Structures are given as C-alpha cells and as structure tokens.
Amino acid sequence: HAVLTLFTPGRVGGTMAGGSGFDLVVLDGDGIVGANLNLFNTFEQLRKDGLGTWVLTGTSDMAWRLAKGRLFVDGALTGAGRVDAGTILGGSGFVGGFTSDGTVAPGSSIGTLRVLGDYQQNPGGVLQIEGSIASGFSDQLNVSGTAVLGGTLDVVPESRPFGVATEYQIVQANGGVTGKFDTVHSGLDVLVPSLEYAPQGVTLVLIRSDVSFGAMGNSANLNALGSALDHDKRAMARGHFKGLMDTFL
C-alpha cells in the first residue's frame, strides 16, 4: 500500500510507479497546476484534495474521487468516480462513470465532457451548462451509459444579447435518461429555461421573456398576429424562422 501526495507547487519530472497492493495518488494544495496521467503507473486510485485546481491530460484507468476543490479532465480518467459536495468537475475529456453530489461543468469554456459509463446526479448535485447565443452551441454532458438526473441545472448564458429563442442538447445518454432535474436556474432573468426530455437526451430552450410581438403591432390585426407569435416562441429557436424573428429585436 503506497500513497503518493503531490502539492500544486511541485512538478513531476518522470514516471512514478505504485506497489503491488492498493496504491493511491493524492493531488493537493492551492493554485492551479497541470499533471499528465501517463506518468502514474500501477496506481489504483486518484483522489483530489485541497482547494486548488488540477488540470489533467494523458490517460489512466484509475478510479477517482473529487473530494475538494476543482478538477478539470482534458485527457482520459476512465475508472469509476465520485464528485463530492462543494467541488467542481470540468474539462473536455473522458471520465469513467460516476455519481455526483457536487457541480459538473463540462468544458473549460464551452465544451463536452464525455462519461464512459453511467452518470448519476444526486439531489445535491448541480449540472452547470454554459450556453451561447447560437442554437446548438453549448456545454454538453455525453454519457455512454445511463443518465439518472436530479438536483439542479444551472444555466450560464454568455454576455451577448440573445435571440427570441435558443436551444441546445445539453445531455446525451446512449443508455437512456431517467429522472428529471428538480430545479432549473437561469443566470439571466429575461431568459426563461424550458426543458424537453427524450428517451436518450435533454434539450434546453432559452426563451426571451422581455420580447412581446403583440406589443409591436400598430393595428388590431397585427396585435393579434403578434400575440399568436408570442405563444409560439419555442418555434423560433432554429432555422430560417429563428433568423427571421430575431431581426425584430
């Protein structure tokens, strides 16, 4: 049994090997530092401690636990994992199936985090999704197994002005989606989130609440037409219709 503890000020200059039993790598400390998973041989588990941020590249099949701080996986950490409460998992790489009580924020900005296995978000967990003004361009959690949803969806819109409606597929689960988010929060009050659950995915639609086509008309007929459009803003999230209706803003 061996425990290798690395702190953020340190640097790894060569390959490190565990013993013949259960061997643990602990990533600790404050600040931000990167590590290459290819340098850890014959270790069975990685644990992230400390309040700092570790950014992982390379490949390892170690099991893993995010116990404190932030962990970004831009390589592949494919063993079974766990995200504890109060922590943040991000990156655009691959992770093994895991259970989350913390925050999962795919990408470093907008990006896709891929889960090789099953994903379970417990009631205290948060999936944080950054969305752009362009439909189809957002963070995504891509799960090869099943996705069991609960907890909170936290939507972080970009700062540029949005169109009438914008949509993204935020969860793709090849093994199926069960459950629903208990709470949905939008970072902009004028963007009202709406979720559509399909057997293998979840689509998020952001609809502008401060736009009224009914108020734009200068006659009874135009007001009536505008009011009808106000009831179908969802249809304005894609294609030529989106481009056309966004010109009214």
Side-chain angles (χ1 to χ4, degrees):
H1 178 79
V3 177
L4 173 66
T5 301
L6 299 176
F7 290 89
T8 45
R11 295 293 183 271
V12 178
T15 301
M16 293 162 291
S20 58
F22 179 86
D23 303 304
L24 174 68
V25 176
V26 178
L27 305 180
D28 208 333
D30 300 326
I32 302 174
V33 71
N36 189 333
L37 292 168
N38 293 334
L39 300 179
F40 304 105
N41 290 335
T42 64
F43 285 89
E44 282 68 46
Q45 186 177 40
L46 179 147
R47 187 177 77 225
K48 167 64 179 69
D49 284 344
L51 299 178
T53 299
W54 284 76
V55 181
L56 303 181
T57 57
T59 302
S60 174
D61 61 359
M62 284 187 287
W64 54 277
R65 178 182 177 185
L66 176 49
K68 293 181 181 179
R70 295 156 60 98
L71 183 67
F72 285 82
V73 180
D74 288 331
L77 183 59
T78 59
R82 179 174 182 83
V83 175
D84 288 354
T87 66
I88 298 176
L89 173 69
S92 298
F94 297 81
V95 294
F98 68 98
T99 299
S100 177
D101 290 288
T103 296
V104 177
S108 298
S109 178
I110 287 178
T112 298
L113 183 65
R114 293 171 172 82
V115 182
L116 304 178
D118 299 329
Y119 171 74
Q120 179 173 325
Q121 183 167 312
N122 290 333
V126 177
L127 178 61
Q128 187 177 85
I129 296 293
E130 183 179 354
S132 78
I133 62 172
S135 285
F137 191 59
S138 73
D139 290 336
Q140 186 186 83
L141 189 68
N142 189 295
V143 183
S144 69
T146 60
V148 181
L149 303 180
T152 299
L153 173 65
D154 181 29
V155 182
V156 182
E158 69 156 292
S159 59
R160 291 181 293 173
F162 275 68
V164 178
T166 312
E167 69 173 7
Y168 329 97
Q169 184 167 29
I170 59 170
V171 177
Q172 170 69 35
N174 295 338
V177 173
T178 61
K180 295 182 177 182
F181 296 107
D182 302 317
T183 305
V184 183
H185 173 262
S186 172
L188 286 177
D189 291 340
V190 298
L191 292 178
V192 178
S194 175
L195 294 177
E196 299 169 357
Y197 293 88
Q200 292 184 309
V202 181
T203 297
L204 167 67
V205 186
L206 297 178
I207 299 175
R208 288 274 297 269
S209 64
D210 62 336
V211 174
S212 173
F213 293 104
M216 295 180 185
N218 56 11
S219 70
N221 286 340
L222 288 176
N223 288 339
L225 175 60
S227 295
L229 290 171
D230 285 337
H231 286 91
D232 197 23
K233 289 180 182 176
R234 168 66 181 89
M236 304 173 195
R238 65 166 73 103
H240 296 299
F241 194 34
K242 174 176 174 58
L244 173 63
M245 300 313 295
D246 285 351
T247 62
F248 286 90
L249 302 182

